[in-house]
Amino acid sequence: MVIRKSIKEIIILVSVSVALALVVNTLSPRGIALVGQWDITKGVITANPAGDAAGQKKEIDSVARAKTLFDKGDVLFVDARSQNQYGNGHIPGAVSLPVGQFEERIESFLNRYPPEQPIVTYCSGRTCEDSHDLAQFLSDVGFNNVRIFIDGFPGWEAEGYPIE
Amino acid sequence: MFGFLSTDFRAGKRKDIQLNKLRQSIKNNSWIELAVRWILGLTFIYASYHKIISPSDFAKIVYGYGLFPEIFINLIAIVIPFLELIAGLALIIGVYPRSAAMIINALLLVFVTVLAINLIRGHEFDCGCFSAGQSGYASSSEVTLVRDVIYFILGIQVVLFEGHRRSCFGRIISK
């Protein structure tokens, strides 16, 4: 009897939670899709595959393509990771602009580079979205040629390309 | 000599009885029950807050555990925080307190299992227990594990309690 009562109560509490969760998630601007993109072979992982359509067009999804751009020499690589990670190793010539310190750092960055400067952002590979956020922020302040190297530093390093 | 042993034996027996009494009085102490409900309730409501605010960060943490099928990651990230919130609220206002404690203990059991599996296989990840925002910040999972076990033991008190529960809104409804 006690067990039946508990089961009934648990079903009620769980149902209320699930219903509330789905309603809030649907109405909230920060809500996420019911199924996310969590397969790293298909690209950067994200809870919100639908919301990222604009970002996906700017993606560079092979290390070789990033290397081609690197070899051309006119592209500026921008490292979205922390200063610490940048210090431990980065793509040669890359500039550090941690996405968490964007507001403090962007002014000196703007003074150094014109808006048409071709930029490639990167972070720690397909499990991190920082390079996407940084690309978005850079576009917002006027840079019109920003792309995202989604395999990031780990992908670059794994191919044996030079680091510094 | 034997007399000495038997008093010793009797003393031991008395100690057993006292211990049993103590256990009973903790189990059925309504003030402890109320305190435990508030501690667990507030903890779980607090823990749900950041996850509800940024579900995409929490989803990434769930992914980071490396234990859940890809199609369920978002659903887990959407539902678990509300389960914590509703169960926490139910404990505090006293609606279905025993069942709410069972839900909380079930969640704790899942958390402990996930933490333990990842500790054993040396999988590094952000625990995401209270705040999802700080990526790259990994709080010690040993500490979290011990904390969750303590919460679980507290939860058992609420589940096993048989006396009159204090300040329960639920009694008004169920009567």
Side-chain angles (χ1 to χ4, degrees):
Chain A
M1 224 26 230
V2 175
I3 294 172
R4 265 177 82 172
K5 185 168 167 277
S6 292
I7 290 173
K8 195 186 115 199
E9 291 176 0
I10 288 172
I11 290 174
I12 292 174
L13 289 173
V14 171
S15 310
V16 170
S17 307
V18 172
L20 191 66
L22 293 175
V23 169
V24 170
N25 186 63
T26 310
L27 298 180
S28 160
R30 313 194 67 166
I32 56 176
L34 294 182
V35 179
Q37 200 303 99
W38 301 107
D39 184 352
I40 54 167
T41 60
K42 287 187 188 155
V44 172
I45 56 154
T46 168
N48 247 340
D52 239 22
Q56 269 165 21
K57 275 188 231 148
K58 300 177 181 169
E59 284 179 1
I60 298 165
D61 57 5
S62 88
V63 187
R65 272 184 62 207
K67 182 67 161 59
T68 313
L69 288 170
F70 176 81
D71 291 337
K72 271 172 72 186
D74 59 342
V75 175
L76 178 70
F77 280 73
V78 182
D79 193 318
R81 301 173 302 159
S82 71
Q83 189 95 58
N84 225 343
Q85 288 172 305
Y86 176 84
N88 287 337
H90 54 263
I91 295 177
V95 176
S96 174
L97 185 56
V99 71
Q101 295 166 21
F102 187 80
E103 278 174 31
E104 298 102 279
R105 305 263 196 119
I106 188 56
E107 200 153 324
S108 67
F109 190 88
L110 280 167
N111 290 336
R112 266 191 293 162
Y113 304 103
E116 57 278 3
Q117 167 72 49
I119 289 174
V120 171
T121 65
Y122 70 90
C123 55
S124 310
R126 296 187 174 203
T127 55
C128 96
E129 284 176 307
D130 289 351
S131 50
H132 286 70
D133 294 340
L134 182 62
Q136 185 59 50
F137 294 162
L138 287 170
S139 302
D140 290 346
V141 297
F143 289 95
N144 51 32
N145 187 357
V146 185
R147 273 171 293 175
I148 306 151
F149 169 38
I150 65 172
D151 290 304
F153 185 70
W156 182 271
E157 200 180 20
E159 286 294 317
Y161 294 145
I163 58 172
E164 67 173 24
Chain B
M1 191 184 167
F2 283 118
F4 173 73
L5 263 181
S6 76
T7 37
D8 208 39
F9 174 75
R10 243 176 281 154
K13 191 102 182 168
R14 219 177 304 138
K15 218 174 181 180
D16 267 3
I17 294 168
Q18 277 173 347
L19 222 78
N20 215 8
K21 259 189 182 163
L22 181 72
R23 205 179 300 140
Q24 280 299 320
S25 71
I26 289 177
K27 194 189 116 190
N28 280 333
N29 184 313
S30 61
W31 288 112
I32 293 179
E33 196 264 355
L34 182 65
V36 169
R37 265 169 37 214
W38 275 79
I39 293 168
L40 286 180
L42 289 176
T43 305
F44 271 76
I45 292 170
Y46 177 69
S48 74
Y49 172 75
H50 294 280
K51 299 172 196 162
I52 288 174
I53 297 238
S54 56
S56 60
D57 287 336
F58 181 50
K60 197 163 264 189
I61 288 163
V62 175
Y63 166 83
Y65 289 130
L67 288 172
F68 304 101
E70 285 161 13
I71 52 162
F72 292 129
I73 289 174
N74 277 23
L75 283 175
I76 292 170
I78 292 168
V79 172
I80 292 286
F82 281 89
L83 214 50
E84 293 178 333
L85 176 70
I86 296 292
L89 277 175
L91 274 187
I92 287 178
I93 55 179
V95 174
Y96 307 153
R98 173 177 284 138
S99 306
M102 285 179 183
I103 291 175
I104 284 192
N105 270 11
L107 287 172
L108 286 168
L109 214 57
V110 174
F111 299 162
V112 167
T113 310
V114 167
L115 285 168
I117 290 175
N118 280 325
L119 263 179
I120 291 165
R121 63 177 180 166
H123 185 74
E124 234 182 78
F125 60 101
D126 186 344
C127 97
C129 327
F130 290 113
S131 160
Q134 307 132 302
S135 62
Y137 163 84
S139 88
S140 153
S141 21
E142 288 92 341
V143 173
T144 314
L145 193 73
V146 172
R147 198 182 55 203
D148 284 354
V149 170
I150 292 171
Y151 287 147
F152 185 85
I153 293 166
L154 290 177
I156 289 175
Q157 203 265 354
V158 179
V159 173
L160 294 183
F161 183 82
E162 280 167 346
H164 170 87
R165 292 179 199 263
R166 288 178 186 276
S167 62
C168 269
F169 180 69
R171 247 195 328 274
I172 304 166
I173 313 178
S174 56
K175 265 186 184 167

